[in-house]
Amino acid sequence: MLAMAVQMLGAGLALVFGVMTILWLIHLRTRNAGIVDFGWALNLGLLALLYFFMSEGEALRKTLITAMACLWSFRLAFYLLFTRYLGQEEEGRYRELRRKWKTNLNLKFFVFFQAQALLDWVLSAPFLLACLNSKPKLATLEWFGLGLWLIAFLGETLADWQLHQFKSDRRNHGKTCRAGLWNYSRHPNYFFESLIWVAYFVFAAASPYGWISIYCPLLILLAIFKVTGIPATEAQALRTKGEDYRNYQRTTSMFVPWFKKQLRTAR
């Protein structure tokens, strides 16, 4: 089992580095680093498929975790590709990186792309551990993880669809989306994405050494709250939407969908 796991991890690392190198070369031609987001999401599904075909675990378990990974991965990847990259200008957060980095941009973006590949590889642990599990019967914990994943997947899909519909209306240009789930959370997509990773951990926890993958949802939460998620998104929103977004911040939960706060009016 250990030898198989090492072989799978080695193949997975080569795969994600190769994909990100190709996307980095495309970025050199298009001058749009946003394609890295497509690659980050895509790689996780590709890793799950690789582990599925390389492993000898129980068939139903392998099929379920691979389906969970691929449905989430490919939906998000192509949503990002068609709504944030193709035919679009480079996102403000990447333009901001260019401004801050100033010199040796191609090399710095290469390191950035490969760092995303490495993150994919590190986050793929739940898929690998579940695929290696040869126990013949699914545990209650795995069914619970599947149910949680389904709720989170539908929630993230709905949040992305509502945001896309809002942005598709030219009359909303420069305005803050408050449609549907966005009326109750400033980042419902991130909230449900974090739940998806909790679900992957719960599913994997029923497998030998599956508890190790607890770091995966923790890493996702760290990225959301401290790195490329909420801080960068809110900074860009404040630059482009100004006071409208500040009012949104005052009345709307940052992460967990919750009831609106009432703005206090000055007497």
Side-chain angles (χ1 to χ4, degrees), residues 148-249:
L148 179 60
W149 176 87
L150 182 60
I151 293 170
F153 177 76
L154 292 175
E156 186 178 27
T157 301
L158 178 60
D160 283 342
W161 180 80
Q162 289 171 339
L163 181 61
H164 177 64
Q165 291 295 109
F166 178 85
K167 288 185 173 181
S168 296
D169 189 338
R170 293 183 178 180
R171 294 172 297 179
N172 293 326
H173 180 71
K175 297 180 181 178
T176 301
C177 178
R178 294 176 172 84
L181 292 169
W182 299 84
N183 191 51
Y184 303 99
S185 168
R186 304 202 300 269
H187 305 282
N189 52 340
Y190 289 148
F191 170 73
F192 286 111
E193 182 169 330
S194 69
L195 282 188
I196 281 173
W197 285 94
V198 171
Y200 289 147
F201 159 68
V202 170
F203 191 96
S207 297
Y209 305 105
W211 58 271
I212 295 173
S213 63
I214 182 62
Y215 71 82
C216 294
L218 296 178
L219 270 179
I220 290 295
L221 286 170
L222 178 65
I224 287 173
F225 282 99
K226 297 296 183 181
V227 189
T228 60
I230 290 174
T233 303
E234 297 229 322
Q236 177 64 14
L238 287 170
R239 283 193 294 268
T240 57
K241 300 179 178 69
E243 192 60 29
D244 184 47
Y245 197 80
R246 290 187 182 90
N247 288 333
Y248 185 55
Q249 288 178 314

Side-chain angles (χ1 to χ4, degrees), residues 8-266:
M8 291 164 63
L9 285 170
L13 190 60
L15 172 67
V16 294
F17 279 172
V19 170
M20 280 303 193
T21 298
I22 292 170
L23 295 181
W24 173 77
L25 291 171
I26 294 173
H27 131 272
L28 292 181
R29 184 176 181 84
T30 63
R31 308 307 299 172
N32 188 340
I35 199 169
V36 71
D37 297 325
F38 164 74
W40 182 84
L42 180 72
N43 270 339
L44 286 158
L46 296 178
L47 284 168
L49 282 173
L50 179 72
Y51 298 157
F52 175 86
F53 287 112
M54 290 187 68
S55 64
E56 298 176 356
E58 197 275 328
L60 177 59
R61 180 178 293 106
K62 287 202 309 178
T63 301
L64 285 177
I65 192 63
T66 303
M68 290 160 64
C70 288
L71 282 172
W72 169 80
S73 165
F74 297 154
R75 184 210 69 83
L76 180 59
F78 287 99
Y79 167 78
L80 293 172
L81 181 67
F82 287 108
T83 64
R84 308 274 183 89
Y85 180 75
L86 293 177
Q88 305 292 323
E89 294 183 356
E90 187 174 57
E91 283 193 35
R93 54 197 171 115
Y94 295 120
R95 294 198 300 270
E96 187 67 12
L97 284 180
R98 293 184 189 279
R99 187 188 67 79
K100 288 181 178 179
W101 288 344
K102 296 180 182 178
T103 60
N104 298 319
L105 289 178
N106 291 342
L107 176 59
K108 289 176 181 177
F109 270 109
F110 179 78
V111 174
F112 179 74
F113 273 60
Q114 298 305 339
Q116 300 304 307
L118 184 61
L119 180 60
D120 282 323
W121 183 71
V122 169
L123 288 171
S124 68
F127 315 146
L128 181 140
L129 293 167
C131 283
L132 288 171
N133 187 357
S134 59
K135 293 180 182 178
K137 186 178 179 181
L138 264 66
T140 301
L141 200 58
E142 289 168 314
W143 289 115
F144 180 77
L146 177 62
L148 179 60
W149 176 87
L150 182 60
I151 293 170
F153 177 76
L154 292 175
E156 186 178 27
T157 301
L158 178 60
D160 283 342
W161 180 80
Q162 289 171 339
L163 181 61
H164 177 64
Q165 291 295 109
F166 178 85
K167 288 185 173 181
S168 296
D169 189 338
R170 293 183 178 180
R171 294 172 297 179
N172 293 326
H173 180 71
K175 297 180 181 178
T176 301
C177 178
R178 294 176 172 84
L181 292 169
W182 299 84
N183 191 51
Y184 303 99
S185 168
R186 304 202 300 269
H187 305 282
N189 52 340
Y190 289 148
F191 170 73
F192 286 111
E193 182 169 330
S194 69
L195 282 188
I196 281 173
W197 285 94
V198 171
Y200 289 147
F201 159 68
V202 170
F203 191 96
S207 297
Y209 305 105
W211 58 271
I212 295 173
S213 63
I214 182 62
Y215 71 82
C216 294
L218 296 178
L219 270 179
I220 290 295
L221 286 170
L222 178 65
I224 287 173
F225 282 99
K226 297 296 183 181
V227 189
T228 60
I230 290 174
T233 303
E234 297 229 322
Q236 177 64 14
L238 287 170
R239 283 193 294 268
T240 57
K241 300 179 178 69
E243 192 60 29
D244 184 47
Y245 197 80
R246 290 187 182 90
N247 288 333
Y248 185 55
Q249 288 178 314
R250 296 185 191 109
T251 61
T252 311
S253 169
M254 180 177 69
F255 190 60
V256 179
W258 197 245
F259 299 105
K260 302 284 283 189
K261 299 175 186 176
Q262 296 296 320
L263 278 175
R264 294 182 180 178
T265 55

